Amino acid sequence: MRRLFSLLPCLLLAGCVSYEPAPVDWEAEVADWTNGQQCVTLSIGDALLRAIAFSPELNAVRLAHAKSAAKADASGYWDDPSLDLDVLRVLKEPKNPWTYGGSVSLTIPVTGIPGLERKAAEAYAEADRWEIIAAEDETIIEAANLAHTSLSLKRLTDFLVNDRRSESYRSARDVSRRLAESGELTKTEYLQQNVAENELDQTLFELRKERIETESKLRRLTGIPPGCVLLWNDEDALPVLTTNEVDYLDFVRAPEVQAALARHEGKETELKKEIRRQYPELSIGPAYTREDGFDKVGFTVGLSLPLWNRNRQGIAEAKGARDESRHAAIIAWRDAVQRYIDAQMALAAVGDWSVESSRAYAEELYEAGEITAGEYVASIQQDWNQYVNVFRRRIAAITATYRINVLVSRLKDEEGISEE
């Protein structure tokens, strides 16, 4: 008996987890973030890879999955044994005034509740895993949009500035000014040229502001610090649209739908667990008593009797949660279908994004003297508006194409997995 009591503390401490602090080392964080980089050169593919690795939201989802996976691994264990110890003294002192005894009871999970708890935790961990896949897809789409926008904005602003400074344009503007002063060009036409240049100044301001905002979002998504200069390779390949045909039922394999279905499975398991709580729980264990100088050894048996409560409240809450999760799965499926249809409609609405420029023809006519300097300037200024409008349509087409391709490829991948 004495040896048992000496081993008891060791048994109690064997499975304990010690506390380990995890403070934030800000100097290390600064060094890890900046990494001594002065500039970074990216292609579109590089930006997508960095976004997958460094996206704050995506890494937060990964941490949530790690937590749910750890919880699943730690679920399903039996309840710890309980130890009872009674020490009594008879007030009217007999020969043996002390009475003492103790018992250890262990709950036997005959209802299988620990197994159901583990199964539910595993379902939630699986749902978080699908959330990671869905977040990765959205990160790819967002990073592609930001990368193409940043690169296209740089090229567009550089083109507009250089085109405005070109020798042919400045020469035609100077000729227009002299013609307006001599009365051969109406003041209205010359003022329209000035208005177009003022509008270009405003357009350049808005484009540069948009580029700053776009690159700020891209830096956050890719983990690039603010002081690091962002340079782009010449690569700006447009995505090729995937032509795979998909059916509405195919979208059940979409990651967000699979995540909702996994959570629904977890809620179903929790409902089963709450129903099992209606049944009696059995506890059994050894017992020892010292009374009147005699040692008594036996065992204790306990049985819960769910006569009135029968866990009605827990079952009602679990049923409601199960119904909510089923509804969420259906809505997630409908949303996935709608996003695909919206992307197709957005791509169709873009149409042709090529620039129908008559620049070369106008230059030939101007050099041949068949159009005036004012007409030549007007044709160049009209091209500026075309390039800006085509930029907007091009980015919209790229975003819609990436969304369609990512979703279709994901459905195709999951179909291959399910067939295997």
Side-chain angles (χ1 to χ4, degrees), residues 326-389:
R326 180 181 181 276
H327 175 72
I330 295 174
I331 297 303
W333 167 70
R334 292 181 179 178
D335 290 343
V337 175
Q338 190 62 55
R339 280 193 295 272
Y340 176 76
I341 298 300
D342 290 345
Q344 284 188 320
M345 295 176 63
L347 185 60
V350 170
D352 183 18
W353 63 58
S354 61
V355 177
E356 296 180 359
S357 175
S358 59
R359 174 75 62 88
Y361 183 60
E363 288 180 352
E364 292 178 2
L365 294 178
Y366 181 57
E367 291 176 359
E370 298 187 20
I371 61 174
T372 65
E375 292 172 332
Y376 175 66
V377 169
S379 67
I380 294 178
Q381 292 175 344
Q382 288 175 358
D383 277 357
W384 295 344
N385 293 328
Q386 279 198 74
Y387 280 110
V388 174
N389 293 335

Side-chain angles (χ1 to χ4, degrees), residues 64-65 67-70 72 120-130 262-263:
H65 173 253
K67 181 180 71 173
S68 60
E122 289 174 347
Y124 294 139
E126 179 69 6
D128 288 342
R129 186 183 73 84
W130 282 108
R263 295 193 186 281

Side-chain angles (χ1 to χ4, degrees), residues 90-132:
V90 180
L91 295 180
K92 188 176 181 181
E93 187 171 330
K95 183 178 181 180
N96 297 292
W98 291 98
T99 300
Y100 53 86
S103 64
V104 177
S105 72
L106 179 66
T107 301
I108 309 298
V110 293
T111 57
I113 288 178
L116 292 175
E117 289 177 345
R118 185 179 185 87
K119 184 177 179 181
E122 289 174 347
Y124 294 139
E126 179 69 6
D128 288 342
R129 186 183 73 84
W130 282 108
E131 290 287 352
I132 292 176

Side-chain angles (χ1 to χ4, degrees), residues 148-286:
H148 279 281
T149 301
S150 175
L151 179 54
S152 298
L153 281 171
K154 181 182 183 305
R155 292 184 172 181
L156 177 61
T157 53
D158 289 347
F159 168 78
L160 293 176
V161 170
N162 293 332
D163 200 41
R164 184 181 184 178
R165 294 175 180 174
S166 65
E167 182 179 354
S168 60
Y169 176 77
R170 300 315 307 173
S171 175
R173 281 282 287 157
D174 187 57
V175 171
S176 298
R177 178 183 59 78
R178 293 198 302 268
L179 291 175
E181 290 175 352
S182 64
E184 298 183 28
L185 180 69
T186 64
K187 293 183 178 180
T188 301
E189 291 177 327
Y190 185 69
L191 288 176
Q192 287 177 347
Q193 295 181 12
N194 294 337
V195 169
E197 287 215 5
N198 291 335
E199 290 178 349
L200 178 62
D201 288 334
Q202 180 63 27
T203 299
L204 286 171
F205 165 75
E206 294 174 354
L207 293 176
R208 287 167 179 151
K209 180 173 179 290
E210 182 178 353
R211 183 185 172 191
I212 292 173
E213 295 173 351
T214 299
E215 289 191 356
S216 177
K217 295 177 181 178
L218 185 62
R219 288 174 185 274
R220 182 176 184 275
L221 198 65
T222 56
I224 300 175
C228 184
V229 179
L230 181 60
L231 303 177
W232 288 103
N233 289 336
D234 291 334
E235 177 188 351
D236 189 18
L238 299 178
V240 179
L241 181 64
T242 302
T243 57
N244 297 54
E245 294 294 332
V246 292
D247 187 72
Y248 280 8
L249 286 178
D250 294 333
F251 289 91
V252 174
R253 297 191 299 272
E256 56 269 29
V257 181
Q258 289 295 314
L261 288 174
R263 295 193 186 281
H264 177 58
E265 181 182 354
K267 296 301 180 183
E268 286 276 15
T269 305
E270 287 196 356
L271 176 58
K272 295 177 183 178
K273 181 188 72 175
E274 295 300 325
I275 292 175
R276 296 281 182 89
R277 291 189 188 279
Q278 298 180 108
Y279 308 137
E281 285 282 8
L282 176 66
S283 61
I284 188 171

Side-chain angles (χ1 to χ4, degrees), residues 263-325:
R263 295 193 186 281
H264 177 58
E265 181 182 354
K267 296 301 180 183
E268 286 276 15
T269 305
E270 287 196 356
L271 176 58
K272 295 177 183 178
K273 181 188 72 175
E274 295 300 325
I275 292 175
R276 296 281 182 89
R277 291 189 188 279
Q278 298 180 108
Y279 308 137
E281 285 282 8
L282 176 66
S283 61
I284 188 171
Y288 166 79
T289 303
R290 176 75 176 179
E291 185 176 2
D292 294 333
F294 297 97
D295 294 328
K296 300 179 181 180
V297 179
F299 63 92
T300 61
V301 177
L303 190 66
S304 63
L305 299 177
L307 298 178
W308 296 285
N309 184 11
R310 294 187 181 276
N311 197 31
R312 288 183 173 88
Q313 181 178 357
I315 293 173
E317 291 177 354
K319 280 185 177 180
R322 189 268 309 269
D323 294 341
E324 289 176 351
S325 66

